[in-house]
Amino acid sequence: QVQLVESGGGLVQAGGSLRLSCVASGYTFTTYRMGWFRQAPGKEREFVAQVSWNGRTTYYADSVKGRFTISRDNAKNTVFLQMNSLKPEDTAVYFCARMGSGSYYVSDSYDYWGQGTQVTVSS
């Protein structure tokens, strides 16, 4: 069965960096685009970034553009989210997801989700 397992979250001070990883299994990884979303307490899940199957095309939310970088290693079935210059407003649970069909920034377009990893940025 399809599984997505995130790791790399934690507590970091504002201005710091974290690198999230998501290991996929149970399907042909290179067939699908992959995305990252996040959800802060009391807020809806929001799009963060997406990467194409070969890593050449990426999309970012305006709030993270220039600070976050999404990438993938198809040999390791892994997608990454490098987060730099972190801000307290980046605090959220971060989820990786497999793109099904639809608009890349809409959560309903994704058909499988990981369990999430907590990122907390202190001021």
Side-chain angles (χ1 to χ4, degrees):
Q1 70 278 21
V2 175
Q3 283 193 314
L4 302 172
V5 180
E6 303 99 333
S7 62
L11 173 64
V12 64
Q13 289 188 332
S17 298
L18 282 175
R19 189 193 197 203
L20 306 184
S21 301
C22 172
V23 178
S25 61
Y27 70 100
T28 303
F29 185 63
T30 53
T31 304
Y32 293 87
R33 289 171 282 174
M34 297 294 295
W36 286 96
F37 283 73
R38 66 186 182 186
Q39 188 167 19
K43 295 188 177 181
E44 292 187 355
R45 191 170 296 188
E46 65 173 359
F47 170 76
V48 175
Q50 191 206 65
V51 63
S52 62
W53 71 271
N54 59 6
R56 293 178 183 175
T57 302
T58 57
Y59 298 101
Y60 295 94
D62 288 344
S63 58
V64 307
K65 204 171 293 183
R67 300 187 298 122
F68 291 10
T69 302
I70 189 171
S71 61
R72 64 192 293 163
D73 183 339
N74 287 340
K76 297 181 179 180
N77 285 8
T78 302
V79 60
F80 303 99
L81 186 68
Q82 177 67 45
M83 305 186 296
N84 298 329
S85 302
L86 282 160
K87 305 175 181 180
E89 51 263 45
D90 294 318
T91 295
V93 177
Y94 283 71
F95 300 88
C96 74
R98 189 183 82 170
M99 175 78 174
S101 62
S103 300
Y104 66 85
Y105 51 88
V106 177
S107 60
D108 286 347
S109 301
Y110 294 76
D111 55 5
Y112 284 93
W113 295 79
Q115 81 288 349
T117 185
Q118 176 71 47
V119 171
T120 303
V121 184
S122 63
S123 57

